[in-house]
Amino acid sequence: MKLFLDTADVSQIREACSWGVISGVTTNPTLVSKQKNMDFKELVKEICEIVDGPVSAEVVSLDVDGMVKEAMEFSKIDPRVVIKIPMTKEGMSATKRLSSEGIRVNVTLVFSAAQAILAAEAGATYISLFMGRLDDVGEDSIAVLENIVAMKENYGFESQILAASIRHPYHVVQAALVGADVATVPFAVLEKLFNHPLTDVGIKRFLEDWNRYRNRG
Ligand code: E4P
């Protein structure tokens, strides 16, 4: 399973990419709105210069022509750009048109296996299941993800299943266990993935032992 970073914060992206574990970035209008001083297209361009992988940029139009027009403009920014389109009837029409022209689409705001089938049929490159938001309303996000992965295997859909709205490290592990292709994680969750108290204790003990050895009489 690949890890993407779920942020529009350039300094977070730069730092996380330096750790060698990030294969792409996902943004959304909420994440972009936090970068108050930056023009959207300039921001996407800068992110693409840092990341060696797909960078999702979301349209805000709700009609098919508007979505396609925005998608065409975003595609000119950089070949790494993937167009994020919401799971609506209009969104699927736009996804079909864009995917038929070879433009990669990340279908977002997917909350059920039924919606995932539609996104796959429309030619989505990525299907983003929002795990945390499902759990928030008392649904079992892992069960839904598992169904989507099974459906993909049954029918050989080419769409990649992307676990989104990740809230904690165990979401990432669960997504990997059921066979998601990608998990997109906020910076804070990515940092938590590194942590284990026994790693810290182990490093401390190795260094103490090494210093004792070096200072032996
Ligand atoms: C996905 O690509 C979305 O940007 C994101 O994962 C949404 O997460 P949230 O529910 O924490 O806003």
Side-chain angles (χ1 to χ4, degrees), residues 38-145:
M38 286 203 72
D39 167 74
F40 176 60
K41 286 183 188 163
E42 285 302 315
L43 177 62
V44 173
K45 191 170 182 308
E46 191 170 344
I47 295 172
C48 289
E49 280 161 11
I50 304 167
V51 184
D52 187 15
V55 173
S56 289
E58 188 159 342
V59 300
V60 288
S61 297
L62 294 177
D63 62 299
V64 183
D65 288 338
M67 288 189 215
V68 170
K69 186 167 175 280
E70 279 187 70
M72 293 302 188
E73 284 167 17
F74 297 173
S75 295
K76 286 185 205 138
I77 300 173
D78 191 284
R80 291 181 177 84
V81 171
V82 173
I83 311 301
K84 228 169 164 188
I85 303 256
M87 167 43 71
T88 58
K89 290 171 185 159
E90 294 78 8
M92 293 313 92
S93 298
T95 299
K96 188 69 179 180
R97 263 162 65 177
L98 294 167
S99 60
S100 308
E101 291 183 37
I103 293 176
R104 292 177 299 168
V105 175
N106 175 354
V107 173
T108 188
L109 293 167
V110 170
F111 293 94
S112 72
Q115 291 179 323
I117 293 171
L118 298 173
E121 291 290 355
T125 299
Y126 299 100
I127 301 175
S128 287
L129 180 78
F130 277 41
M131 296 180 66
R133 294 194 200 185
L134 268 177
D135 292 347
D136 287 345
V137 296
E139 286 201 45
D140 181 351
S141 62
I142 280 298
V144 178
L145 185 61

